[in-house]
Amino acid sequence: MPKDNKINEFCDERKELASNCPLGNHAISYNGVAPQENFSAAFLLQIINGTEDPIFVKDRQHCWVLLNDACCNFLGLKREELIGKSDYDFFPKAEADVFWEKDELVFITGMTNENEESLTDAQGVTHFISTKKCLFKDSADNQFLVGSIRDLTQNITQSKQVEAELRHSRQLLQLVIDNIPQLIFWKDLDSVYLGCNRKFAQVARLDSPENIVGLSDYDLPGKKAEADWYRQCDRRIMESGIPEVEIIRTQQHSNGQQSWMNTNKIPLCNAQGDVVGILGTYEDITKRKLTEEALRHSEAKLQKLSANVPGMLYQFMLHPDGSISLPYINSGSYELYGLTPEQIQADPNLIILIVHPDERQDFEQAIAASAQTLEPWQWEGRIVLPTGRIKWLQAASRPELQADGAIIWDGLIMDVTRLKQAEAALQQAFAELEKQVDERTKQLVQSNEALQTEIIERQHAAAELKASQQRLALLIQQTPIGVIEWNTKLEIQEWNSAAEKIFGYSKSEVLGRHFGFLVSAIAKKHVDQVMVSLLNPQGEILSVNENLTKDNKTIICE
């Protein structure tokens, strides 16, 4: 479009605006002061249309005489619909009353008024607005009210949204801490409670966490000495700025019961790093303490029992990666290996490397076979101690596959060196005897028939003696009478089946033990006298006295 046409069109628009505006070409003065030159309404309208805020002018009758485009768009009405009309023509009466009252205040006092209010536009949408209204006078002293509008709806909506999100965040945080198993609380610098979770409120006998705000430890159930200690601890932490955790104390209740409490306290700091309070967690660990005490008692009892077991009780673990460990070893390890349980657990190879070189392969193959088949492991072989001493060991255990793929053997290792030495001595005796017999036989063959006959008779006698011994051993095992053999130290050396039935102990449980555990306290003195007589034999001794069975029953034995 040519520039001249744009200018002509602009001038026509100014004329139209001026004709529609009751101000006409009157000059307007601010607060009664006339400007140096007059401005037409069209010129003023051209200026105010350049701003984004809605701007309007009302006459003394509260009717609009001038509105910029932004104001018309905000109200949702055309300029010609608004000019000469008042607030009551478009807005709800309650809103119009407020507008009228504030307008009248400006007209009467001449003072600028700022106010926040609601406005419903032509589409029925309610806006929260901020208005600023000033008084203007023209050269004829006519009063006009000039106002501007700022829409706060979006700001208020955002503010309310932020408030809602903050409220939701607080509710979520409260929900989280209410469902934490521990009791949680926080205090200010004076050790006055600022909040807590629901579990803490319940223990403090409060209806809700909000009720704790403003209270101190002296206001809660408990003794004054406990409250003094809590506050002393708070003060120490807040002054040092150093957290204190795992504060375990006992607490005596009014019913006489004692409980164990675990408290953690950390200083609360602001953005500048200054301590502004304290945060604490509080947990009743009585069940855990009782469990730990029961476990310690059980372990002590197990240690006492295992200490009386001949040999070494153990748990051997083969891990999925091929490494080995011994989770449990009793004190019998020192008697077998000269090593404490702790030494072996620190390095399990200490008891593997001392297996006799001639039997190492058999030892390892036996373990591998048991691990593969999960069949019981049994092994008998020698170990060579660092001192050079050789011991014979007999081991037996049962494997159990674990969920993680590891295998644990629970078993017993016993020292059978004496038994092996006895077997070796017996074999040597037999060898020597056979040698002597051979030599004697040769002598007898060389000497005469009579001597040969004597040898044959002696052989028959030896056979009968052996058979007699076998019959005696069989008789001992089959007789219903308990047969018990002691050595000079009164340690049990033989224990037949009848003795097992009478006293309830198996042979493996009693061998090597002093016989005293079978005697009741009442009969002890009498039995001691009998035992003294046995050690100085003067013939057969008959004694009737009380004895104890495995289940602690008293029986009369002859």
Side-chain angles (χ1 to χ4, degrees), residues 233-245 247 264-269 275 277-279:
C233 181
D234 293 347
R235 186 163 52 254
R236 182 175 64 251
I237 293 170
M238 287 188 286
E239 289 177 354
S240 68
I242 301 174
E244 293 186 12
V245 297
I247 308 171
N264 301 284
K265 292 185 176 182
I266 61 173
L268 287 175
C269 301
V275 176
I278 193 167
L279 171 68

Side-chain angles (χ1 to χ4, degrees), residues 112 136 175 403 423:
T112 300
F136 284 80
L175 180 65
E423 291 177 354

Side-chain angles (χ1 to χ4, degrees), residues 8-20:
N8 294 333
E9 188 178 77
F10 175 69
C11 293
D12 293 340
E13 183 181 8
R14 288 180 56 191
K15 292 177 182 178
E16 181 181 354
L17 289 172
S19 64
N20 290 332

Side-chain angles (χ1 to χ4, degrees), residues 479-529:
T479 180
I481 299 174
V483 177
I484 306 172
E485 180 183 345
W486 292 275
N487 59 16
T488 56
K489 295 181 182 179
L490 303 181
E491 295 172 341
I492 296 173
Q493 303 297 305
E494 182 58 51
W495 182 272
N496 72 344
S497 300
E500 291 183 341
K501 294 180 180 179
I502 293 172
F503 292 100
Y505 292 97
S506 67
K507 187 174 182 179
S508 62
E509 290 180 295
V510 301
L511 287 183
R513 295 179 64 180
H514 190 277
F515 82 98
F517 71 95
L518 298 173
V519 180
S520 67
I522 297 174
K524 185 177 185 306
K525 184 176 180 181
H526 170 69
V527 173
D528 288 344
Q529 293 174 351

